[in-house]
Amino acid sequence: MTAGSIAGGWPGRRHGARPILLAAAAILFLLVIIVGGLSGWQATTESSAPSAAAVADIPSDYLALYEQEAARYGIDWAVLAAIGKIECDHGRSQAAGCNPPGTVNEAGATGPMQFIGSTWSAGTPPMTVPAIGPPTTSTSDGYATDGDGDGLANVWDPADAIAGAARFLRANGAPADYQTALYAYNHSEAYIQTVLTQASEYRTDFAPGASPAIRAVLDWAVAHVGQFTYNLGPPTDRGGSVAQMQSSEPQGSTCDCSMFTRWAFAQAGIDIGLTTSTQWTANGLLPPGQTAQQTPDVARGVGPDPPPGGYQPGDLIFFGVDDGPNGHVALWLGGEMIVQCSASGGGSNIRPLAGYVAPTGWVRWNLG
């Protein structure tokens, strides 16, 4: 193995690194590289948020770390996350070297981002987990990095491992040349292609064609996925005025379905109502009852079928309009996904609509 090569475990790889952990974070718009093709990937100043697929797949603590360390080293968070996916499935893989902690795989790679020991810390013997110690000051001594501010670099600490991977990519050509940086990480053209394809999936727009107002609604909702556990009733903070909800965060750590959608729509300057039943009436703009309605500001449909042309990002999808446990409302995110607060999802979550209970209707606000 050559000094500076890192990922071991991918079929045909000769070198060593794999994935990561922290607390759920808001959507961060970062400088990223979005130019397709293995021969390119030159830096641009486009911004990108996690797609619905990214939020659904990446644990919130890992997503926060990918974004944090990508911002620290000026690289594309989606490429970093794609490496974490391929290497250890964001810490969930049970393969040797990924789990249990302290193991190495057949190539000698270890930890969430699958570093070869000597790549993490120069002088580490082959097939050995590098010792926990101070971060290296020079990459010639390895890429051991402190990602959580405790003064130590631990290849099995997700925060440190992700930070080390970001540092490695930056030192080996990113963001100007991701092909070169990824080849240094793993000497495989197939690996590079897989990483870049996964990164594109993670940064794909989760609300294509959405207006700025609807984007504000969905940005808030996606940013709060994983932040709340489900609780119907006090102490769940249902919010006050629109201005208050735009300038503050919900108190506490619980949500219910209509609280979640109300706070989200407040970001677009709209109060859609406190409860599921009032949201079904568009906060009094539509009559109660199971009837289709259309006004210049809002439309409503009844039954399990989507509107003509399909759901649009920001549509409210209802599963009963009772204000108790027999009513539920979610937001259509796009990409066949809904974002919601639900008891079945344990709180704020994203999931496919397919396979869920059948909708009973929808409400669409005309927000431009």
Side-chain angles (χ1 to χ4, degrees), residues 260-334:
F260 192 75
T261 52
R262 183 173 190 246
W263 277 85
F265 264 87
Q267 310 314 305
I270 302 292
D271 187 349
I272 62 173
L274 279 166
T275 65
T276 305
S277 63
T278 55
Q279 292 178 13
W280 178 246
T281 68
N283 206 10
L285 294 178
L286 304 176
Q290 296 297 306
T291 58
Q293 300 288 328
Q294 178 84 44
T295 77
D297 296 320
V298 64
R300 184 173 74 192
V302 177
D305 295 329
Y311 294 117
Q312 294 179 7
D315 283 353
L316 291 162
I317 303 177
F318 290 80
F319 307 83
V321 295
D322 181 77
D323 287 336
N326 294 323
H328 183 58
V329 61
L331 282 162
W332 180 255
L333 189 57

Side-chain angles (χ1 to χ4, degrees), residues 36-249:
L38 289 178
S39 60
W41 281 70
Q42 302 302 312
T44 73
T45 55
E46 293 190 39
S47 61
S48 168
S51 67
V55 176
D57 182 46
I58 305 171
S60 57
D61 48 4
Y62 273 64
L63 180 56
L65 282 171
Y66 293 135
E67 293 182 313
Q68 170 186 299
E69 296 306 327
R72 175 181 176 185
Y73 287 99
I75 65 168
D76 184 351
W77 70 269
V79 171
L80 193 59
I83 292 172
K85 172 67 174 179
I86 293 163
E87 296 295 347
C88 283
D89 192 23
H90 311 304
R92 295 173 296 210
S93 172
Q94 296 304 304
C98 294
N99 277 296
T103 58
V104 298
N105 69 10
E106 69 283 354
T110 189
M113 294 303 276
Q114 287 292 276
F115 277 87
I116 294 294
S118 58
T119 304
W120 182 258
S121 180
T124 301
M127 305 300 293
T128 302
V129 176
I132 299 171
T136 58
T137 56
S138 169
T139 57
S140 63
D141 296 321
Y143 291 88
T145 305
D146 177 14
D148 56 11
D150 65 357
L152 297 173
N154 178 359
V155 75
W156 274 95
D157 183 325
D160 295 350
I162 291 175
R167 181 184 181 190
F168 182 96
L169 293 175
R170 179 72 189 207
N172 285 276
D177 187 347
Y178 278 100
Q179 184 178 10
T180 296
L182 289 169
Y183 189 79
Y185 203 90
N186 185 315
H187 293 1
S188 165
E189 292 292 342
Y191 180 86
I192 297 168
Q193 179 67 79
T194 303
V195 168
L196 298 185
T197 299
Q198 183 66 65
S200 294
E201 181 180 335
Y202 279 164
R203 78 166 77 80
T204 300
D205 189 357
F206 61 76
S211 68
I214 291 296
R215 169 66 72 173
V217 171
L218 296 178
D219 279 354
W220 188 95
V222 170
H224 289 80
V225 166
Q227 300 250 1
F228 304 119
T229 56
Y230 182 82
N231 180 71
L232 182 61
T236 295
D237 182 1
R238 310 196 64 76
S241 67
V242 165
Q244 178 259 321
M245 289 186 282
Q246 288 179 322
S247 61
S248 65
E249 286 288 303

